[in-house]
Amino acid sequence: MKKTISSALSLIIILSSVLIIFTFNTGKAEAAVFSISSNRLFKDPSPNKPNTFYFVGMVYYEVWKNSSGSWTGAGHHPDSVVRKVDGGTYEFTFGTNRKIKSIEVKQFDFNWTHANATFQTSRTGELKDKSQEYYQGATSIVRRMKSAEQP
């Protein structure tokens, strides 16, 4: 009887080990897809732009310098053309009677006239964790220029 229990226990351990080995998933990094509905788009208040909407997406790309100060091939330098950015893909959802005619993507400027309204409409979820000043300090063109001027 002891031998039967010992054999059964050994069999369970072996089968469990095999099951763990074949079902273990190391995980594969996949880009996130962010679905953006019209409530996260800021509508331009100008009467001559009735179909213009703004959204702030957050993406990044890595920049690297080696110890001698040279730009590395793995990162990007300020004048490089970046075709791939991390952060995810944005999918915009509009009503069925709307079509996108054109999209213009550019670096967000916190000094822009509609910057606060656009940022707050687009990034409401992020503002629960960190203030707008955090993002402004991390991305502002003005801040980077000031810090570049310092010795």
Side-chain angles (χ1 to χ4, degrees), residues 83-110:
R83 296 188 178 166
K84 178 182 173 187
V85 292
D86 294 322
T89 301
Y90 291 99
E91 287 183 348
F92 295 92
T93 307
F94 294 94
T96 56
N97 60 344
R98 293 189 173 262
K99 293 181 183 178
I100 298 173
K101 290 185 177 181
S102 66
I103 295 175
E104 182 182 338
V105 179
K106 60 183 177 179
Q107 184 176 0
F108 188 71
D109 181 2
F110 278 100

Side-chain angles (χ1 to χ4, degrees), residues 107-119 132 136 139-146:
Q107 184 176 0
F108 188 71
D109 181 2
F110 278 100
N111 293 322
W112 175 54
T113 306
H114 305 299
N116 286 334
T118 302
F119 191 88
Q132 181 174 332
Q136 185 169 346
T139 61
S140 175
I141 296 170
V142 174
R143 179 178 180 265
R144 276 188 272 141
M145 289 180 79
K146 284 182 182 175

